[in-house]
Amino acid sequence: MKKVAVVFNGGTISMKIDPKIHAAVPSLSGEEIMSMVTGIEDFAEIESYNFSNVPSPHMSPNDMMSLSFYIKKLLKREDICGVVVTHGTDSLEETAYLLDLTINYDKPVVVTGAMKSSSELGYDGPANLSASICTTISEEAKNFGVLVCLNGELNCANEVVKANSMSLNAFRTPGFGPIGVVDNNEILFYRNRVEKQYIDTDKIESKVDLIKCASGMDSSFLDFSIDRGSKGLVIEAMGRGNIPPLMVDGVKRAIDKNIPVVLVSRCFEGRALDTYGYHGGGKELKNMGVIFGDTLSGQKARIKLMLALGKTNDLSYIKDLFEAGHYK
């Protein structure tokens, strides 16, 4: 029987309602949660580890890196076939993507959580855990990178977003849908994983800011980031990859200071591209030296830029990391 390491990391899956404040708070240990996953001993041998027990908004990029180191130590063990990680859903996609970029093993790593606390009817934590464990012991799940498993669906860490604040199927892959499902304890993949990237670094640069564009914005936030010493900037641009004209000078000032500026779209689906040639349009920005982040969300582009800057300040490397294969 295969052995799976389950690393508990807090979030709603470990919470219950505090009767004094009438709100969910961290309460359950990993062992208490595993006791609700009935029958799993017929499928795998489980080793439980309590890494932390925090709400996901408390997770910092440095915490995510520490979690990556922790998981890699478990994956080195020959008797461990893979790792399941529980996590709060608010920042789950960011942690999963960081793990995907920093872990280079063929063994499955599956990140899961819950949309309901253990005090609510329909608590989904045990079902998500059992589906994640079934995924981890599957031979088919090897070499897929980090997968996110909730509500019986499997999504790739580099594609998935939290698309709903309350539904059990909150995690989705825009444009393409899930890469697979867990059906009757079996794993069914619909398509192949594409573009698995690996950033070989043990450091992360946390001073990277994310700025979202809206109508009429100027360079105030960009200038603030530059003045406070930000090492990198991610801009969630409008539409195809365009910004209000008053933001252009701020972008130029950042580039002139050799601060990498990565541009993505604030749209839920589609990629950023240098389609438009007007002032503030994608063509002007690309000619200035802005790096285009393809289909990445702003929060994922920030994680990627943090890791890239943790490895090097070489702008050509960073540009290639984001744009290789997408631009001539």
Side-chain angles (χ1 to χ4, degrees):
M1 185 175 290
K2 292 184 176 182
K3 183 182 292 185
V4 176
V6 181
V7 179
F8 290 91
N9 197 48
T12 300
I13 194 171
S14 67
M15 295 187 187
K16 61 182 178 181
I17 301 296
D18 184 328
K20 293 182 180 179
I21 62 174
H22 304 288
V25 295
S27 305
L28 302 176
S29 68
E31 291 74 15
E32 289 174 308
I33 300 170
M34 279 307 307
S35 69
M36 304 182 209
V37 189
T38 56
I40 198 63
E41 62 276 2
D42 295 332
F43 293 85
E45 182 182 348
I46 306 299
E47 285 190 8
S48 296
Y49 297 89
N50 291 303
F51 178 80
S52 71
N53 193 5
V54 298
S56 59
H58 292 195
M59 282 290 289
S60 71
N62 286 321
D63 294 330
M64 297 173 191
M65 280 295 283
S66 296
L67 179 61
S68 176
F69 297 146
Y70 192 89
I71 293 169
K72 283 188 277 191
K73 288 181 180 179
L74 291 170
L75 292 171
K76 287 180 181 178
R77 287 175 44 186
E78 291 185 5
D79 61 326
I80 296 290
C81 76
V83 176
V84 172
V85 184
T86 70
H87 199 284
T89 59
D90 285 352
S91 62
L92 186 150
E93 65 191 273
E94 289 163 85
T95 296
Y97 189 47
L98 183 143
L99 297 178
D100 191 56
L101 289 170
T102 57
I103 294 175
N104 194 29
Y105 284 83
D106 64 349
K107 295 179 180 180
V109 176
V110 182
V111 185
T112 191
M115 294 301 295
K116 293 188 176 186
S117 75
S118 62
S119 299
E120 296 179 83
L121 292 173
Y123 174 46
D124 54 327
N128 289 337
L129 255 178
S130 64
S132 298
I133 293 168
C134 287
T135 302
T136 305
I137 63 175
S138 170
E139 289 294 316
E140 288 74 15
K142 288 183 176 180
N143 294 305
F144 267 89
V146 175
L147 294 168
V148 173
C149 178
L150 285 93
N151 199 44
E153 295 182 337
L154 297 171
N155 291 278
C156 290
N158 69 332
E159 297 178 329
V160 71
V161 297
K162 185 176 181 181
N164 192 292
S165 65
M166 56 180 284
S167 297
L168 297 185
N169 66 333
F171 286 84
R172 304 170 199 168
T173 295
F176 303 105
I179 197 167
V181 296
V182 183
D183 182 19
N184 196 29
N185 303 323
E186 294 184 13
I187 313 306
L188 303 173
F189 285 106
Y190 297 139
R191 54 188 173 88
N192 292 326
R193 165 75 186 253
V194 295
E195 195 184 346
K196 169 72 172 80
Q197 290 186 308
Y198 172 62
I199 302 176
D200 186 12
T201 180
D202 58 0
K203 298 178 181 178
I204 189 166
E205 174 54 68
S206 59
K207 296 179 72 173
V208 174
D209 291 331
L210 170 60
I211 298 172
K212 185 169 185 171
C213 287
S215 177
M217 284 178 62
D218 58 19
S219 294
S220 298
F221 290 135
L222 290 164
D223 290 336
F224 174 78
S225 292
I226 294 168
D227 292 342
R228 71 189 290 266
S230 292
K231 303 300 183 182
L233 295 171
V234 176
I235 298 176
E236 275 193 17
M238 295 173 162
R240 196 67 154 141
N242 314 298
I243 64 175
L246 292 178
M247 292 184 72
V248 174
D249 286 344
V251 171
K252 186 177 186 306
R253 281 190 286 274
I255 291 173
D256 287 344
K257 291 180 177 290
N258 292 316
I259 299 172
V261 179
V262 175
L263 183 139
V264 296
S265 176
R266 71 180 191 180
C267 295
F268 182 67
E269 294 181 346
R271 64 173 175 150
L273 196 66
D274 55 338
T275 301
Y276 293 96
Y278 52 76
H279 187 44
K283 179 63 71 173
E284 179 186 26
L285 299 175
K286 185 162 179 59
N287 290 341
M288 287 170 53
V290 171
I291 298 167
F292 277 60
D294 200 56
T295 61
L296 286 176
S297 63
Q299 57 268 30
K300 283 188 182 174
R302 178 174 175 261
I303 290 293
K304 191 172 186 177
L305 184 54
M306 285 177 163
L307 290 170
L309 287 168
K311 180 179 176 66
T312 181
N313 291 317
D314 183 351
L315 289 176
S316 63
Y317 167 83
I318 296 171
K319 180 180 177 66
D320 186 64
L321 188 65
F322 278 91
E323 295 186 354
H326 303 293
Y327 292 89
K328 300 296 184 183

